[in-house]
Amino acid sequence: MNLTKRRIVIAGAVACGAKAAARARRCDPQAEIVLVERGELLSYAGCGFPYYVGGSVENFDNLRTTSFGLVRDADYFHDVKDIDVRLQTEILDVDRGGKTVFVRNLATGKQDQIPYDKLVLATGAVPVRPQIEGIELDNVFTLHCPSDAIRIRQAIEQGNVEHATIIGAGLIGLELTESLFNQAVDATVVDIADQVLPSMLDPEIAHLLKNELVRDGLEFLLAERVQRIVGDTTVRKVVTNSREIKTDMVVLAVGVRPNVDLAARANLQIGETGAISVNEFMETSDPNIYAGGDCVECRDLITGRRTYMPLGSIANRHGRVIGSNAAGGHETFPGIVGTMVFKSLNLNVAKTGLTDAQARSLGYETVSSITPCMDHVHFYPGNKRFILKLVANRSDKRLLGAQLIGPGDVSKRVDILATALRFGATLSDVANLDLAYSPPFSHALDGVVHAANNTRNRIEGAIPVLSPESLKERLAKSNGLVLLDVREPAEVEKAAIPDKRALHIPLSRLRARLSDLSKDIDTICVCQQGMRGYEAATILYGAGFTRVAYLDGGLRIWPCIADE
């Protein structure tokens, strides 16, 4: 009988590392587990930083507590889980042959050696700091570690921040806009890209998001480069290639890069994305060293390619697999489909799988649809809208991705679609999902099912459909067309189409007024959400009109056609 205790050393103690330690302890009650962390805190919810800045999370320790109220500090891990926690300690180097790590206490400078049987690298990511003059001024922040969130909130609460400039229109930047709004701080978002969230959303959905946020009071300066930050000791203005912005605070939110320094020093394989390469067991090129979280790349289950996606949800899943395997298990992590969701002001935004642009760049012949939906039936109080864009592969009708935006419940729908992607579902599979229905929660045909059928119609139907961008191009090039508005009179009176080519005939009167239309001119049917436009197009097509199309998604996406 082997009585030697297994020795597990873990570098990094936030999401993946702390999860791996806790899982390893459950799997092996006798193991010696050492958790090494450079910072002063461990096992905190970094995804909650924007909500702490905005005041929704009142006390920072709330981001460190268990569901039953205990703070996850070093004493908690020692007393409850029998794990040796070394805070403010960094691993300097790894002797793979001798299976030893060399560490240094950052507070005292004392160095030590820790032997291991299994080593785990959960070194996370580091924020990208662009080369901008003035970046070292006071009140220039990133939002990556606890001290960042605490310092930003302190600066706001001191009452000296009326305006903030966010450099970067990505996930963190847009989440932070809500936090600043809640603290009565005006915000300007600057990004060198020509749209928000370019890696997450297609242009028309990104455009809709930006327009909605602008209506709520935010300012976006896209396709604009920050040249320098100006101030004495504290930031006073931001200078771009087009203007000067008077500001009291700057937050750098231009992304992160995987922290692979320790892995590189240990001569472990770095993948094509620049993150650590791991196999399905989360093993590095050394089978005695695991890695997970924001420092590793993952397998994309849709394309089979390697991808880098630093998300807390993925890091926790990595940690569980690593903890099991470091303790003698044989679990696998197959990969991801790239699912994310966030909130900015009154909008919920979600994405899973590939965008249309991403799929096309990889060689797919895509078909997509934009479907306005309600999160539950119209006759039950409190229903809210959202828009769902589906992307599929034309040849085999396989689902490739989805994007959702609106004040309605998008998280439920994106999780359904992420599950469908995980198992390689087709549009028909999604359309035939047996989803729960009750008026307070959904429609009899949920928006997910409706969108799948809508996309199938694109492939199988004979009636052309125009995307927002396609219609925009048509309107710019041709006066010889009719925008047939089939909404009810009250809808038109409230929001008429601002185009002289618009002709209003309610759907209920269309069959009686076919003689008012010409078969020799292009007729584009539009309504509020898209369905009546589609039905109008089928009526015209059945009556012998061949130059007919309809607007995908209806007038809810009118800002994508003409900026307001």
Side-chain angles (χ1 to χ4, degrees):
M1 182 177 180
N2 184 7
L3 298 179
T4 303
K5 292 183 178 181
R6 182 182 285 112
R7 295 169 297 182
I8 302 170
V9 176
I10 301 172
V14 184
C16 177
K19 184 70 173 179
R23 175 62 179 172
R25 169 57 70 225
R26 289 192 290 271
C27 293
D28 186 349
Q30 304 303 319
E32 294 180 4
I33 303 174
V34 180
L35 197 51
V36 181
E37 168 58 41
R38 282 179 53 91
E40 297 178 359
L41 304 177
L42 72 159
S43 194
Y44 51 81
C47 297
F49 287 171
Y51 307 106
Y52 170 74
V53 169
S56 298
V57 177
E58 185 174 345
N59 190 311
F60 188 85
D61 275 350
N62 292 343
L63 301 179
R64 305 171 57 211
T65 57
T66 65
S67 59
F68 45 89
L70 291 182
V71 176
R72 295 189 299 267
D73 55 15
D75 289 340
Y76 168 81
F77 273 84
H78 178 271
D79 296 342
V80 176
K81 301 182 183 297
D82 190 26
I83 292 172
D84 179 8
V85 176
R86 312 274 184 97
L87 294 177
Q88 291 186 273
T89 302
E90 66 176 348
I91 295 181
L92 300 172
D93 210 346
V94 180
D95 176 4
R96 289 168 50 186
K99 300 178 75 172
T100 300
V101 296
F102 301 89
V103 303
R104 178 178 60 195
N105 185 287
L106 298 175
T108 65
K110 181 181 178 181
Q111 298 190 20
D112 196 3
Q113 301 179 21
I114 308 174
Y116 69 84
D117 295 307
K118 297 294 182 180
L119 174 64
V120 179
L121 303 184
T123 49
V126 294
V128 174
R129 294 180 64 87
Q131 297 296 314
I132 300 174
E133 180 185 341
I135 201 172
E136 301 303 328
L137 288 170
D138 290 342
N139 276 18
V140 177
F141 303 100
T142 57
L143 185 56
H144 185 72
C145 62
S147 61
D148 295 333
I150 292 169
R151 288 169 59 222
I152 292 174
R153 179 157 160 179
Q154 286 175 342
I156 293 172
E157 290 178 343
Q158 288 169 1
N160 299 321
V161 180
E162 296 182 1
H163 181 276
T165 299
I166 301 172
I167 302 177
L171 197 59
I172 295 298
L174 293 190
E175 281 187 324
L176 189 56
T177 59
E178 179 176 26
S179 301
L180 296 173
F181 185 87
N182 290 341
Q183 296 280 27
V185 175
D186 293 331
T188 297
V189 181
V190 186
D191 200 297
I192 192 172
D194 61 1
Q195 71 165 75
V196 302
L197 296 167
S199 63
M200 179 176 174
L201 301 177
D202 282 315
E204 70 274 21
I205 305 299
H207 193 89
L208 180 59
L209 170 60
K210 186 205 76 171
N211 280 3
E212 292 281 348
L213 294 178
V214 167
R215 274 193 282 270
D216 284 331
L218 295 179
E219 180 182 27
F220 286 87
L221 304 176
L222 302 178
E224 201 157 320
R225 180 188 294 274
V226 173
Q227 294 181 329
R228 64 185 182 276
I229 303 169
V230 179
D232 35 30
T233 57
T234 300
V235 58
R236 293 290 176 243
K237 64 181 178 180
V238 169
V239 180
T240 76
N241 58 310
S242 299
R243 72 197 79 213
E244 294 184 355
I245 308 164
K246 184 180 178 181
T247 196
D248 307 303
M249 174 189 289
V250 173
V251 181
L252 306 172
V254 295
V256 299
R257 62 173 178 81
N259 183 2
V260 300
D261 293 351
L262 182 58
R265 290 198 299 272
N267 291 317
L268 299 175
Q269 182 178 343
I270 306 300
E272 60 191 72
T273 67
I276 302 171
S277 177
V278 293
N279 62 17
E280 62 183 341
F281 303 106
M282 304 306 297
E283 296 170 341
T284 66
S285 51
D286 182 331
N288 292 310
I289 302 178
Y290 298 91
D294 294 355
C295 63
V296 307
E297 60 183 20
C298 297
R299 177 173 176 264
D300 187 313
L301 291 172
I302 301 169
T303 67
R305 300 188 177 198
R306 310 305 291 184
T307 187
Y308 178 63
M309 188 162 291
L311 293 173
S313 54
I314 296 172
N316 274 275
R317 291 162 60 201
H318 284 172
R320 189 182 196 281
V321 172
I322 291 170
S324 297
N325 293 346
H330 204 65
E331 290 196 23
T332 61
F333 183 83
I336 63 173
V337 296
T339 306
M340 57 187 76
V341 63
F342 76 97
K343 182 177 181 293
S344 187
L345 297 182
N346 297 315
L347 289 176
N348 305 315
V349 187
K351 174 258 185 184
T352 189
L354 303 176
T355 66
D356 202 350
Q358 290 167 344
R360 289 178 181 273
S361 71
L362 292 170
Y364 292 98
E365 183 185 359
T366 64
V367 59
S368 65
S369 68
I370 298 174
T371 307
C373 308
M374 301 297 289
D375 57 9
H376 62 259
V377 295
H378 65 280
F379 57 80
Y380 188 87
N383 63 86
K384 295 180 180 179
R385 61 181 176 84
F386 65 93
I387 286 174
L388 199 169
K389 178 174 182 178
L390 283 190
V391 181
N393 189 36
R394 182 176 293 275
S395 60
D396 59 7
K397 303 178 184 178
R398 181 166 63 97
L399 181 66
L400 295 178
Q403 299 153 61
L404 305 92
I405 178 173
D409 182 1
V410 304
S411 62
K412 168 184 174 179
R413 278 80 193 182
V414 77
D415 284 343
I416 293 169
L417 293 164
T419 304
L421 283 169
R422 169 66 179 84
F423 296 104
T426 65
L427 293 172
S428 179
D429 293 330
V430 175
N432 287 292
L433 288 172
D434 186 12
L435 302 178
Y437 164 61
S438 177
F441 302 108
S442 64
H443 281 266
L445 291 181
D446 190 80
V448 167
V449 173
H450 184 34
N453 284 328
N454 197 8
T455 314
R456 292 165 75 191
N457 289 340
R458 303 289 189 276
I459 299 174
E460 301 165 359
I463 301 172
V465 58
L466 294 178
S467 69
E469 289 299 318
S470 297
L471 180 53
K472 183 177 180 179
E473 293 174 5
R474 290 280 292 274
L475 292 174
K477 292 179 179 178
S478 174
N479 285 320
L481 58 82
V482 171
L483 283 173
L484 180 59
D485 185 348
V486 298
R487 294 176 298 164
E488 291 301 305
E491 295 175 275
V492 176
E493 183 178 349
K494 183 178 179 181
I497 296 176
D499 195 294
K500 63 183 180 180
R501 291 162 288 188
L503 173 64
H504 176 228
I505 302 177
L507 181 64
S508 59
R509 298 288 300 154
L510 182 58
R511 293 183 186 275
R513 293 183 56 184
L514 289 175
S515 60
D516 293 352
L517 299 168
S518 171
K519 295 180 180 179
D520 299 323
I521 190 170
D522 293 342
T523 302
I524 301 168
C525 303
V526 298
C527 67
Q528 189 65 17
Q529 299 189 47
M531 281 304 298
R532 285 175 291 174
Y534 170 68
E535 190 167 353
T538 62
I539 291 173
L540 295 181
Y541 192 77
F545 289 73
T546 57
R547 299 174 62 175
V548 178
Y550 66 99
L551 172 62
D552 196 11
L555 296 178
R556 283 240 170 108
I557 52 171
W558 183 261
C560 299
I561 301 170
D563 286 331
E564 298 182 349

